[in-house]
Amino acid sequence: MSSAEPGGPVHPSTSVWRPLGAGEIQVTGGIWQQKQQLNAEVILGHCQTWMERIGWIGNFDRAAAGAIDGRHSGIEFVDSEIYKLLEAMAWELGRQPAAGLERRYRALAERVAAAQEPDGYLHTSFGRPGQPPRYSSLETGHELYCFGHLFQAAVARLRTGHDDLLPQVARRLADHVEGQFGASGRGGVCGHPEIEMALVELARATGEQRYLDLARLFIERRGTGTLGVHPFGREYFQDDMPVRRATTLRGHAVRALYLASGALDVATETGDAELAG
């Protein structure tokens, strides 16, 4: 598998179809061009200001300083919001480079990177003194879900021509996840699917087959009883039956869509017609 050339968020390596690259299409007028400019000039800054104000970005600073105990801001999955912001910033920089936005992007990526543990683990809600242990709540903890959004932020940076700090952080984290959840690791999945499609995109962007293999492993484990019982039933997080046996989307809508996307991505890359069906 070769590294993908700059393109859109999804870039299959085997399909006859490919996304248009950043330099192949421009929106030069109308409502969508106005929305692009509004995003660049107002929305990204507004989001970053609020994430700073309510302490979500500061979680990474406190984690890096060893001072997060009892001082975590927000629910356990707020790391993902920072990663979504970084992804949006990366795509906008790919569309229209701007020195100010580039500085803000790099500064934010550095604050995230500073919180990464030596073994690659990166989450501000788990694993440090005063916090629940790592992977102690796969049903509701959203650790792997957050990791997936970091991977997608890294893919956006790679696809816009930059193999720099955030992609390096993502590779270290993906290697950690493989060590923990790979074929010889713990047989778990995340209660909120997301990492599956993110790992496929990371594999496409980096050419690293191991990440695709791990995505496939997560897909095959789903619905085999690795998660505990949810008050709304196992179908809430699509753990009531294996993906290959499912004929309808069940449970939490976002979870179901993410899982279906990841399964189709794996099927596309591996030529697995049964899984695609």
Side-chain angles (χ1 to χ4, degrees), residues 220-231:
E220 300 294 359
R221 280 182 186 154
R222 179 74 53 173
T224 60
T226 65
L227 294 171
V229 177
H230 192 278

Side-chain angles (χ1 to χ4, degrees), residues 22-33:
E24 294 179 281
I25 186 170
Q26 291 183 329
V27 181
T28 58
I31 187 172
W32 294 116
Q33 196 275 336

